[in-house]
Amino acid sequence: LRGIQHVLLASTVPEQQTSLIQKIVALAGTPIKQSLDKNTTLEELGVFDDKIQEISQYLKLTYNIVFDENKIPFLTVDTIQQIENSITKPAFKDEKGLSTFFTFVDADELVATTDFVCLPSLVNNSSMREDEFDATQTYLCIVPGMEGHHERFRLLCERLKLPAIVLQPGLDHLRETMQETAKRFVDVLLKKTQLQNNFYLLGYETGIAIALEMVALLEDRGLTGTLYCIGFAPDELKVELDEQLSEFASEEELQNAVARHMFTLMAGGDARGLGGLQAASTWAQKVELCVRTLLGRVPHSAQ
C-alpha cells in the first residue's frame, strides 16, 4: 500500500484453517499425514513425553481444556476431532418458515409426558430425571414458547449457576386457557420444588404471558421472585408468524408443510415416503400417512 504504484484492489487473504490435531502435532514438531486413521493415538503420531507438558499448557490456555498429562499420549484422532467440534463456534443459520418455530422432536416420547425436564447447568453435570429431583435447591423455572420443547434452552442452561427446569405443556391439555396453564404450572412448582419464598421464572415468547400469570398466582400466595422475559413480545411474535408463514397461500398448503416439516424432524432429515401427502384431503389423513411411513424408521410408537 505504500508503494509507488496505484492500488487498484486490496483484499484480505483468507486465513488457512488448521485443525486441532494439526496444531498439536505441530507443537510436537512431528510431520503429519494427509489422511489419518481415527483410532491413531498421539503417541503413535510421534508425540513423546518431552512435548506433553507444552501441549497440555496449550490446550489449557487456548481452549480452557484440562487433561491429565499421563492421558494425553493416548488421545486418539477421533477424540481430538470431537473436542474440536465441541469448541468450534457453530455458524449462524438464519432459519426460515416453520424451522423458525419448531426445531426438535424427542427420541424418547415418554419425556413429553412428564411435568418438567431438568437440564444440565454449571451446578449439575447431567440431566436429572423427575424422580431424582432435589426440592431443597433453588431452580430457574422456564416457561417455553409455542414450540413447548426443552431442547431450545439447553445451551442457555449450560451457563447457569443454578439448576434449571423447563415446564412442559403436556399432551393432555391442548385446549387449556392461558390462565389454566399458569395455574397447572404453579401447582407443579409448589408440589415439586416446595417453594418457600423466592422464585425465578423465565418466560420465552408466548410463554411470557403464562409466566406473568404465574407470578400473579405466586404473589397471591405471599411469594416473591424474579421474572425474566426473552424472545419476541406477543405483538412482535404475531408479526413474525405472519411473515414466516406468508409463503403458504392456503390452509392445505400450511398443513402439508407442517406435516412434512415434523416428519422430516422425526426422520432425521429424511423426507422419503411422503409422495402421497398431496392426495390426502384431511389433516387426519395426512397425520395417518406420516405415522404409517415413520413406523420402523423411528423409535416412537404409533400412538
Side-chain angles (χ1 to χ4, degrees):
L1 293 177
R2 294 182 178 181
I4 60 174
Q5 302 296 329
H6 293 294
V7 177
L8 299 179
L9 178 65
S11 62
T12 58
V13 177
E15 182 181 357
Q16 185 176 0
Q17 296 296 319
T18 306
S19 67
L20 181 57
I21 184 68
Q22 290 174 321
K23 293 176 182 177
I24 291 175
V25 173
L27 286 173
T30 304
I32 187 172
K33 299 178 181 178
Q34 290 295 326
S35 59
L36 292 172
D37 184 274
K38 66 178 183 179
N39 295 317
T40 304
T41 65
L42 290 180
E43 186 177 52
E44 292 170 339
L45 289 174
V47 178
F48 299 114
D49 293 345
D50 58 333
K51 294 292 184 179
I52 294 301
Q53 186 175 7
E54 183 179 352
I55 293 172
S56 176
Q57 287 298 311
Y58 172 75
L59 292 174
K60 180 179 179 180
L61 297 176
T62 307
Y63 301 106
N64 197 29
I65 298 174
V66 179
F67 273 111
D68 182 341
E69 292 186 6
N70 294 324
K71 296 181 179 179
I72 288 179
F74 305 105
L75 292 176
T76 65
V77 172
D78 185 50
T79 301
I80 294 172
Q81 287 176 343
Q82 291 179 22
I83 294 171
E84 183 174 21
N85 292 337
S86 68
I87 61 179
T88 302
K89 293 182 179 179
F92 176 76
K93 183 181 179 182
D94 188 12
E95 299 286 0
K96 297 293 183 183
L98 293 169
S99 297
T100 306
F101 308 105
F102 300 100
T103 53
F104 298 99
V105 174
D106 255 313
D108 184 356
E109 60 190 299
L110 294 179
V111 172
T113 65
T114 60
D115 291 327
F116 57 83
V117 173
C118 301
L119 291 180
S121 68
L122 291 176
V123 295
N124 59 308
N125 294 326
S126 60
S127 298
M128 293 183 298
R129 299 192 309 270
E130 189 176 342
D131 58 346
E132 299 173 325
F133 189 74
D134 183 0
T136 63
Q137 298 192 62
T138 300
Y139 288 81
L140 173 67
C141 304
I142 300 173
V143 183
M146 183 170 62
E147 183 176 25
H149 200 284
H150 59 272
E151 192 66 29
R152 185 177 286 267
F153 307 98
R154 183 172 295 275
L155 187 61
L156 179 149
C157 291
E158 286 177 354
R159 289 154 173 76
L160 294 178
K161 295 182 179 179
L162 76 168
I165 63 174
V166 181
L167 297 163
Q168 300 216 109
L171 303 176
D172 302 322
H173 313 281
L174 301 180
R175 300 190 181 278
E176 268 187 340
T177 65
M178 182 176 63
Q179 291 77 15
E180 290 170 341
T181 302
K183 183 180 183 305
R184 178 164 58 86
F185 282 172
V186 166
D187 291 342
V188 168
L189 283 183
L190 294 176
K191 179 181 178 181
K192 297 289 186 178
T193 67
Q194 300 176 14
L195 281 174
Q196 300 297 323
N197 187 15
N198 288 336
F199 59 82
Y200 295 94
L201 293 181
L202 185 150
Y204 176 69
E205 294 188 345
T206 55
I208 293 174
I210 297 174
L212 287 169
E213 290 286 335
M214 292 175 64
V215 169
L217 293 172
L218 290 168
E219 288 180 342
D220 286 344
R221 289 170 166 79
L223 301 174
T224 59
T226 304
L227 170 63
Y228 304 95
C229 302
I230 60 175
F232 289 113
D235 54 340
E236 295 173 330
L237 181 60
K238 184 179 184 304
V239 173
E240 182 69 11
L241 270 170
D242 291 340
E243 179 181 343
Q244 295 295 342
L245 303 183
S246 60
E247 62 181 290
F248 307 115
S250 65
E251 179 74 16
E252 184 175 4
E253 283 188 20
L254 177 59
Q255 289 182 358
N256 289 339
V258 170
R260 186 176 294 105
H261 179 68
M262 300 310 296
F263 179 97
T264 304
L265 283 179
M266 296 178 73
D270 184 359
R272 290 176 300 169
L274 285 183
L277 193 60
Q278 300 286 349
S281 58
T282 67
W283 173 246
Q285 290 174 345
K286 298 178 194 297
V287 172
E288 178 64 22
L289 171 65
C290 291
V291 171
R292 282 191 283 104
T293 308
L294 284 169
L295 286 177
R297 295 170 59 179
V298 296
H300 302 81
S301 69
Q303 297 179 358

